Amino acid sequence: MLRRLNYLKSVQRPLIKVLHINSALHSTSIESVVSSAKVKPDIKVHRDMPYIIDGQNYKYKEGRVYQGFLCERVEPITDYGLMSCTLRHIGTGTEFWYLDRNDINNLFSINFRTNPLDSTGIPHVLEHLVLCGSQNLPVRDVFFKMVSRTVANFMNAMTGPDYTMFPFATMNEADFRNLQKVYLDAVFRPSLLHLDFLLEGWRLEHQDVHNRNSDIVIKGIVYNEMIGSYSDNSTSFKHTMLNHILPSHIYRHSTAGNPSEIPKLSYEELVNYHRQYYHPSNARIFCCGSFDLEKTLEFIDREYLSHYDRIDTSFSRTPPEDRWSEPRQACIQSRLNPMGPGIDHQNQVATGLLMCDILDIQETFELKVLSELLIRSPNSPFYKSMIEPKISGGYTEWTGYLPDCKDTYFAVGLQDVTMKNVELFEELFDNTVYKASKEGFDSLHIESVVSNLELDNLKQQRDYKNLLYKSIVLWNHEGDVVSNLRDSEMFAKLRNKLKENPNYFNEKVEKYLINNTHKLTITMQPTESYEIERQIAESKLILEKLEEISDDKFEQIYEKGLELEAFQKAPQDIEILPCLSINDVQNPFPRPQIMDISLQDVPTMISQEPFAGITYLNCMFNTSGLSINDAMLLPLFCNVFTEMGTSKHDYRQFNDFLQAKMARVECLAKVVESVTDGKTYRLGLLMKTYALDKNVSDMFGLCEELLLNFQVADTERLEMLIKNYISKLGNNVISTGHLYAMMGSSALVTNASRLKSLLSGVDHVDYMKKYVKENSIEAIRDSLKSIGSKVFGRNNLRIAINTSENNLSTIVEDCERFVSHLPTMDQTSDSNEIFLLEPSSRHYDLSMPLSFCAKTFFAVPYAHKDHAALRVLGKLITAKYLLPIIREQIGAYDAGARIGFDGLFNFFSFRDPHVTKSMEVFDKTYEWLQAESHQLDEQALFEAKLAVLQLVDWPICPSEITLESFTFGSNYDMNLKYRSRVLSVTLPEVQNLIEKYFKNESKHFGKCILGPVS
Ligand SMILES: [Zn+2]
């Protein structure tokens, strides 16, 4: 339940996850710039891992005191290349976990155990409220003001089922110290103003604040956020499972807040909750990276912890759940998904079973392996019994093992099922586990699953956030987080057990899935009246609330509304907030070297890392020559051809071979505009995978087998894959509607963007549903086959590889062999021309409680000199104009303006209660810039530059080193020039840009709304 995550990702870096699922959202993907170049000898790779020191020689020693903290445990963690150092504050007992890692990116997080006491969302509202200003920094919405005064690559606050965390990461030490000041003051000494409670939590207010005759409604940022969240069926189904399977203690409540309960929360309760739960004794502080630890400890001790006494925190411990003596059932209703199949096919059903305590680390690890064995691949029992018979639209997103709380659980769910099949579900479930326990698992299947998890783990070890995410739940329940990082040991133990007992997993199935009466089956049925009923319930709630108010206090609603408005508009002294200076950001960060070579005439980029262990392979096939009909099927082709085996091995065999040696092959359709002139675009098929260095030969061999011998003949399987593909489409619309809205408005501006929308936007969902209805499975099969025969040629291909040092010669040999076996295609066209469209607007009528809107116009491509300045201006407009009006006054969750690599300038709003108002705000940008020109001062400009630098200096993970320059064709020199261009933008230039791009409405613009007609 990471409440702010989606929102902030959109501030920092748009939703990459969605991007990778939906091939062509690239106009928003290019916020982070990756360098690429011919070899630059002066550029050094910044990571120098591993970093393992014998405990005896390490600078911090067990038993010693550092700045008021006792060092309790020091251990090297070889798997992650770091030293773990656990300290405890002597006065308060606050635990401080330091992971000393030779990494330029430093992550800091302060975490509290925050149990929900009811479903009013106290932990969540408090998470918002502490970020609204504090004793030392009394600035309204300090968190969002700070976003533009830092170069942090990660800033967030999240509420989990029983914890709240406040993490940030930056590569700049001055920035790191600044953010520590803000975060620590926020959590330990927040202002907690009553007015902020009303704004962030909930309040009664006239619809139109200035009109005392207008309707009284409930407003509030968290209230609106949760209405949005509850209208996402997948999320609310998952929460219901948690609330019902652990009903005895805290987990029966919604920690983020149920919209119908949030208005029961009082300000006093919230203040008391803070006093108790945000006490340092109930806090855990996480710090990972290379910046000076003692500076951090000294500051925390001096400013905060030394002012507190220790308290007993046993009150926040959660007892284990009492086990049930017999299975239970539940049934809930849901919103009808307008993008899903017919109402009869939109039921969801899931069975969950309680597993072990989170503190049992090895068992938790093994249950994760068991879960993968049972569900994930075509050789898994649940896949065979529940997915292949085509009774649903596939698993629910959260199917699997869920170690999110004190007691862990396992759940299997199906989406888009008819009621008839819902009735079969339980029997099917029982038969599947019974069969699995009796027949056991094929040893090749076990080996492939375990190897794949090992590979996945190794990849995750390099992700700086993963250390925190992997540890937070266990740590919250006082588990041994240090041992939990010993991945290799856990794998070795499991392999030994499997060697000793071939029935090891059958027995686990018997114990946890058969002889386990703590079992819950939930059915979720959609109703057409769901949204109307929600509105009626909301009106009732408002009436109840009004009845509690006496007549003389009624007038206060109106007055309070005006007071709040004045409070929000009051000028603030944000100069007291820490901010970086220009000197802190002058130098670009070093980027890994990239070599450009040619293998059999195939352009190939290679980058190397000193400590990787993994080789990443990206292949881009240019498919610009495909006919429009073929192009429209490219996303479907990408989703199915890797799942159907080859003419040499059927899909079950092929899957096991593949999983044992490498990661899943992921394919995406990509529309990429030229970054230099913006006049042409290419359509491509991007294929991505990775493997351990030692398995690289096998990886190339299996890729070759797939590309040369893929087969789509099995119409039964094809039909199932297509059904599941369509069910998944549109699942993300509610959580990332602003991206879909921007795609919708961009589609009205250029033909390239229109194609993107047809390949991955709302238009794609419509197109696919219609296409499948109108064509026989045999016809679809033939079309897919013909696409494959036109794509995989070496003269269409470009390659990018990231590998370990000393691995180069083998890689080049393997890659060359792979390339030489690919056929030469008839020459296809290299790129297509972009043309601009006439202005228009589009409304996607979707029944959702909150809407999304976007406006787009064509500006200039990435390489144009105005691009960097427009990107800075976009940040300026966002911070000074859009957020204060659309977020703070209109009540949308987010809003912004930005220019993409494709040269399109976008305005957007996210979960917006008044899209027509927001659209007017977009239209009046020029008027505002004129009237408020005094707000565009040097400091505002500098902050906007910092906001752009956050994206330009983004830390790249190994899997992405070559990816974006490879995809978009930018290179290191280009990006370096771009960076200095960002820093050199002046105020007069900004004024010129405003006249040039905003004074007159562009000749080519589009507007799009996603949401209900009203
Ligand atoms: Zn929130």
Side-chain angles (χ1 to χ4, degrees):
M1 261 183 265
L2 308 177
R3 289 287 141 220
R4 274 200 170 178
L5 196 63
N6 283 348
Y7 166 64
L8 273 159
K9 270 189 180 164
S10 69
V11 170
Q12 299 280 349
R13 177 172 155 118
L15 295 130
I16 295 301
K17 217 173 135 196
V18 173
L19 229 139
H20 289 174
I21 296 166
N22 297 299
S23 48
L25 276 165
H26 104 282
S27 64
T28 54
S29 80
I30 329 149
E31 294 281 356
S32 109
V33 180
V34 182
S35 64
S36 114
K38 306 275 176 201
V39 176
K40 300 254 172 211
D42 55 321
I43 309 165
K44 287 199 183 71
V45 175
H46 58 256
R47 271 184 283 237
D48 186 20
M49 293 166 74
Y51 186 58
I52 298 298
I53 298 162
D54 174 356
Q56 307 277 314
N57 298 320
Y58 187 56
K59 56 191 164 183
Y60 302 113
K61 312 249 183 261
E62 287 176 9
R64 293 242 191 110
V65 175
Y66 302 91
Q67 309 293 342
F69 288 81
L70 174 67
C71 178
E72 292 184 335
R73 183 178 178 188
V74 173
E75 278 176 47
I77 311 273
T78 335
D79 286 336
Y80 290 78
L82 55 81
M83 292 297 291
S84 162
C85 184
T86 312
L87 303 115
R88 190 176 297 279
H89 188 253
I90 296 168
T92 57
T94 311
E95 203 178 324
F96 190 106
W97 189 25
Y98 176 54
L99 296 174
D100 188 352
R101 172 141 135 164
N102 212 351
D103 194 335
I104 197 168
N105 205 21
N106 281 250
L107 176 69
F108 183 87
S109 178
I110 175 147
N111 320 295
F112 298 93
R113 190 153 66 195
T114 50
N115 300 337
L117 309 174
D118 50 37
S119 291
T120 58
I122 293 194
H124 183 195
V125 178
L126 185 57
E127 172 230 297
H128 277 240
L129 210 58
V130 297
L131 298 171
C132 286
S134 61
Q135 238 172 61
N136 288 340
L137 305 166
V139 175
R140 200 189 125 52
D141 228 0
V142 61
F143 185 76
F144 288 92
K145 301 287 187 304
M146 214 35 221
V147 164
S148 51
R149 296 169 81 86
T150 158
V151 286
N153 47 67
F154 177 50
M155 268 178 82
N156 218 327
M158 306 151 178
T159 307
D162 50 16
Y163 61 86
T164 306
M165 61 203 270
F166 298 87
F168 68 81
T170 176
M171 300 194 279
N172 181 308
E173 184 158 3
D175 198 30
F176 185 74
R177 304 290 163 207
N178 284 349
L179 287 164
Q180 262 177 355
K181 280 181 199 157
V182 174
Y183 270 60
L184 289 161
D185 212 53
V187 298
F188 290 126
R189 293 191 194 127
S191 306
L192 299 184
L193 300 179
H194 182 243
L195 289 176
D196 279 325
F197 170 76
L198 300 177
L199 286 173
E200 297 286 332
W202 73 277
R203 65 188 184 276
L204 291 173
E205 194 173 275
H206 287 280
Q207 178 99 48
D208 174 357
V209 187
H210 300 280
N211 178 0
R212 66 179 81 222
N213 296 320
S214 65
D215 288 346
I216 290 179
V217 294
I218 301 176
K219 295 182 185 172
I221 288 175
V222 169
Y223 181 75
N224 268 339
E225 181 191 340
M226 293 317 296
I227 286 181
S229 175
Y230 268 66
S231 60
D232 179 357
N233 287 341
S234 171
T235 311
S236 68
F237 194 28
K238 184 182 179 190
H239 292 173
T240 308
M241 174 58 82
L242 167 69
N243 302 151
H244 285 70
I245 201 166
L246 295 165
S248 310
H249 309 293
I250 57 171
Y251 303 116
R252 70 175 185 273
H253 306 302
S254 161
T255 184
N258 182 331
S260 63
E261 298 290 311
I262 291 171
K264 293 177 186 159
L265 175 62
S266 79
Y267 171 66
E268 290 70 26
E269 279 171 298
L270 191 109
V271 173
N272 288 334
Y273 189 91
H274 176 266
R275 196 172 301 129
Q276 197 180 9
Y277 285 85
Y278 278 44
H279 190 283
S281 303
N282 197 42
R284 289 176 175 80
I285 303 175
F286 178 93
C287 185
C288 176
S290 52
F291 297 151
D292 186 351
L293 168 68
E294 287 196 58
K295 252 191 193 170
T296 300
L297 296 178
E298 192 274 334
F299 176 71
I300 297 177
D301 175 60
R302 170 170 46 84
E303 289 295 321
Y304 299 97
L305 304 194
S306 61
H307 301 271
Y308 290 84
D309 293 323
R310 191 173 185 143
I311 62 162
D312 176 8
T313 57
S314 53
F315 70 88
S316 62
R317 281 199 191 123
T318 303
E321 181 73 26
D322 292 331
R323 303 282 156 154
W324 302 343
S325 54
E326 49 188 59
R328 298 183 189 177
Q329 301 206 320
C331 188
I332 56 166
Q333 294 197 322
S334 71
R335 195 178 61 88
L336 182 66
N337 178 4
M339 299 180 73
I343 186 163
D344 296 341
H345 289 76
Q346 270 197 37
N347 305 286
Q348 303 201 29
V349 58
T351 290
L353 290 128
L354 212 60
M355 302 272 127
C356 70
D357 192 303
I358 187 93
L359 298 182
D360 192 342
I361 297 170
Q362 182 70 25
E363 191 72 352
T364 304
F365 162 74
E366 289 175 12
L367 286 172
K368 186 181 175 197
V369 180
L370 175 64
S371 158
E372 293 300 298
L373 261 181
L374 283 166
I375 57 174
R376 209 56 72 191
S377 83
N379 293 307
S380 300
F382 277 107
Y383 191 96
K384 285 181 187 166
S385 70
M386 289 196 175
I387 301 300
E388 292 193 335
K390 295 184 282 190
I391 54 170
S392 72
Y395 292 129
T396 54
E397 262 173 41
W398 42 275
T399 286
Y401 182 54
L402 296 144
D404 302 334
C405 310
K406 173 96 173 86
D407 285 286
T408 64
Y409 58 101
F410 166 79
V412 175
L414 294 180
Q415 61 185 5
D416 294 345
V417 201
T418 59
M419 271 323 278
K420 198 173 131 242
N421 286 328
V422 164
E423 282 154 23
L424 291 177
F425 180 82
E426 277 188 88
E427 199 187 323
L428 214 49
F429 187 100
D430 291 342
N431 290 344
T432 309
V433 292
Y434 180 76
K435 203 166 161 225
S437 83
K438 289 293 160 240
E439 292 177 5
F441 301 90
D442 179 57
S443 58
L444 189 64
H445 179 47
I446 296 180
E447 183 48 39
S448 80
V449 168
V450 174
S451 302
N452 210 260
L453 282 169
E454 261 176 324
L455 174 62
D456 189 47
N457 240 45
L458 190 62
K459 181 174 180 244
Q460 302 263 348
Q461 284 167 4
R462 299 299 303 279
D463 174 357
Y464 66 99
K465 283 184 220 162
N466 175 50
L467 280 163
L468 177 63
Y469 291 161
K470 187 181 163 84
S471 309
I472 186 71
V473 180
L474 180 63
W475 199 17
N476 198 42
H477 296 288
E478 300 165 40
D480 183 354
V481 282
V482 180
S483 302
N484 190 44
L485 295 183
R486 304 205 180 286
D487 299 344
S488 310
E489 275 179 29
M490 288 194 261
F491 276 106
K493 269 189 206 163
L494 174 63
R495 285 189 191 281
N496 269 340
K497 288 178 188 174
L498 289 169
K499 214 183 272 171
E500 282 166 17
N501 177 7
N503 292 327
Y504 189 67
F505 277 124
N506 317 21
E507 289 165 14
K508 282 231 179 310
V509 171
E510 204 162 322
K511 175 179 172 190
Y512 284 102
L513 298 169
I514 296 178
N515 301 326
N516 181 357
T517 43
H518 199 114
K519 179 179 177 189
L520 172 71
T521 300
I522 307 186
T523 308
M524 185 165 87
Q525 275 181 281
T527 63
E528 265 168 304
S529 56
Y530 188 81
E531 179 54 21
I532 291 174
E533 281 167 29
R534 187 197 68 77
Q535 287 169 11
I536 293 171
E538 189 181 49
S539 307
K540 252 192 192 160
L541 186 67
I542 295 170
L543 280 178
E544 276 167 32
K545 287 277 155 197
L546 287 176
E547 273 165 19
E548 290 167 15
I549 298 174
S550 57
D551 287 351
D552 53 320
K553 288 211 170 141
F554 191 79
E555 180 63 14
Q556 284 180 5
I557 293 177
Y558 176 70
E559 282 159 13
K560 205 67 178 177
L562 293 179
E563 187 188 342
L564 271 177
E565 191 186 47
F567 173 67
Q568 282 176 289
K569 285 184 174 167
Q572 300 192 58
D573 179 18
I574 64 164
E575 289 318 307
I576 57 168
L577 291 179
C579 185
L580 290 174
S581 74
I582 186 84
N583 291 333
D584 295 322
V585 294
Q586 217 43 275
N587 298 325
F589 286 98
R591 293 299 200 190
Q593 299 175 359
I594 295 180
M595 271 193 298
D596 284 322
I597 57 169
S598 170
L599 294 177
Q600 306 267 331
D601 291 333
V602 171
T604 305
M605 285 179 170
I606 298 183
S607 69
Q608 288 173 272
E609 279 216 291
F611 176 81
I614 295 182
T615 298
Y616 298 89
L617 170 67
N618 301 303
C619 296
M620 177 77 87
F621 293 93
N622 185 4
T623 58
S624 301
L626 288 181
S627 70
I628 185 68
N629 286 342
D630 283 348
M632 290 298 293
L633 290 183
L634 199 57
L636 177 66
F637 178 74
C638 286
N639 264 276
V640 299
F641 93 93
T642 57
E643 303 292 323
M644 299 197 58
T646 67
S647 51
K648 294 182 178 171
H649 298 102
D650 71 29
Y651 64 90
R652 292 193 209 279
Q653 288 171 327
F654 190 71
N655 184 78
D656 270 349
F657 291 154
L658 192 116
Q659 274 209 327
K661 296 292 182 188
M662 60 194 275
R664 243 189 101 239
V665 177
E666 199 188 340
C667 288
L668 315 153
K670 286 246 170 211
V671 177
V672 183
E673 289 90 345
S674 151
V675 293
T676 47
D677 61 11
K679 288 184 178 150
T680 56
Y681 72 91
R682 284 196 282 199
L683 174 64
L685 183 153
L686 174 64
M687 182 180 91
K688 301 196 296 180
T689 187
Y690 56 93
L692 294 180
D693 289 342
K694 63 171 186 180
N695 291 334
V696 164
S697 281
D698 292 312
M699 174 174 77
F700 278 111
L702 286 161
C703 285
E704 183 187 318
E705 181 178 336
L706 183 65
L707 297 183
L708 295 180
N709 304 296
F710 77 89
Q711 56 124 11
V712 286
D714 180 349
T715 46
E716 276 288 302
R717 180 157 176 83
L718 184 61
E719 211 167 2
M720 185 274 291
L721 291 169
I722 292 175
K723 193 172 178 210
N724 292 0
Y725 172 69
I726 292 178
S727 265
K728 265 184 226 142
L729 291 174
N731 268 358
N732 290 312
V733 174
I734 293 245
S735 56
T736 57
H738 62 314
L739 298 182
Y740 283 88
M742 280 191 274
M743 247 198 297
S745 57
S746 299
L748 305 172
V749 181
T750 70
N751 60 330
S753 296
R754 192 174 61 199
L755 182 59
K756 275 184 224 172
S757 179
L758 284 167
L759 297 185
S760 58
V762 178
D763 293 330
H764 182 61
V765 187
D766 294 340
Y767 178 84
M768 282 314 301
K769 282 205 255 180
K770 197 162 161 253
Y771 175 80
V772 168
K773 211 179 261 174
E774 289 172 359
N775 290 275
S776 71
I777 189 68
E778 289 75 20
I780 299 175
R781 174 199 62 199
D782 295 344
S783 301
L784 293 176
K785 198 170 170 213
S786 118
I787 291 176
S789 67
K790 294 171 195 161
V791 172
F792 301 126
R794 70 164 177 254
N795 51 334
N796 289 340
L797 177 62
R798 289 184 299 127
I799 293 179
I801 293 169
N802 177 40
T803 186
S804 307
E805 269 176 6
N806 311 323
N807 213 22
L808 193 61
S809 54
T810 356
I811 291 277
V812 168
E813 248 172 60
D814 288 329
C815 187
E816 201 157 17
R817 194 174 323 118
F818 164 70
V819 168
S820 68
H821 292 168
L822 295 179
T824 306
M825 293 280 149
D826 298 340
Q827 200 61 44
T828 58
S829 82
D830 182 51
S831 59
N832 300 316
E833 196 188 333
I834 291 180
F835 50 88
L836 295 160
L837 309 172
E838 290 306 307
S840 59
S841 50
R842 176 94 199 248
H843 180 183
Y844 292 99
D845 176 14
L846 301 178
S847 135
M848 303 187 282
L850 295 165
S851 306
F852 306 87
C853 73
K855 178 181 175 182
T856 303
F857 68 85
F858 186 77
V860 287
Y862 177 73
H864 189 279
K865 68 178 176 38
D866 285 351
H867 191 281
L870 278 168
R871 202 161 172 199
V872 171
L873 181 58
K875 292 289 178 190
L876 223 159
I877 293 171
T878 302
K880 297 289 168 188
Y881 176 49
L882 300 178
L883 284 176
I885 297 187
I886 298 180
R887 182 177 149 82
E888 294 180 25
Q889 292 173 30
I890 294 180
Y893 196 60
D894 188 18
R898 62 184 178 202
I899 184 167
F901 269 36
D902 53 10
L904 296 178
F905 194 99
N906 289 284
F907 296 89
F908 70 90
S909 75
F910 182 80
R911 287 189 185 156
D912 188 339
H914 297 291
V915 274
T916 42
K917 274 193 197 168
S918 299
M919 208 61 105
E920 275 169 33
V921 174
F922 300 157
D923 287 339
K924 287 183 178 156
T925 303
Y926 181 74
E927 278 100 313
W928 183 87
L929 287 165
Q930 289 296 300
E932 300 290 323
S933 57
H934 60 276
Q935 289 202 42
L936 309 188
D937 56 16
E938 287 295 343
Q939 178 62 25
L941 179 65
F942 178 62
E943 289 180 11
K945 289 178 185 178
L946 285 184
V948 175
L949 285 187
Q950 287 169 9
L951 307 165
V952 173
D953 291 340
W954 191 266
I956 328 164
C957 54
S959 58
E960 289 183 359
I961 285 173
T962 43
L963 193 59
E964 290 196 0
S965 51
F966 171 65
T967 310
F968 301 111
S970 58
N971 61 43
Y972 185 77
D973 289 334
M974 209 186 250
N975 297 334
L976 217 53
K977 216 164 111 189
Y978 191 90
R979 192 185 188 279
S980 53
R981 178 82 190 100
V982 169
L983 285 172
S984 70
V985 176
T986 63
L987 281 177
E989 272 182 88
V990 169
Q991 287 302 344
N992 284 339
L993 286 181
I994 292 170
E995 295 301 313
K996 188 169 164 189
Y997 292 97
F998 292 87
K999 186 174 182 182
N1000 300 314
E1001 185 77 88
S1002 164
K1003 281 194 205 114
H1004 306 283
F1005 71 89
K1007 290 177 173 183
C1008 176
I1009 292 175
L1010 239 71
V1013 178
S1014 58

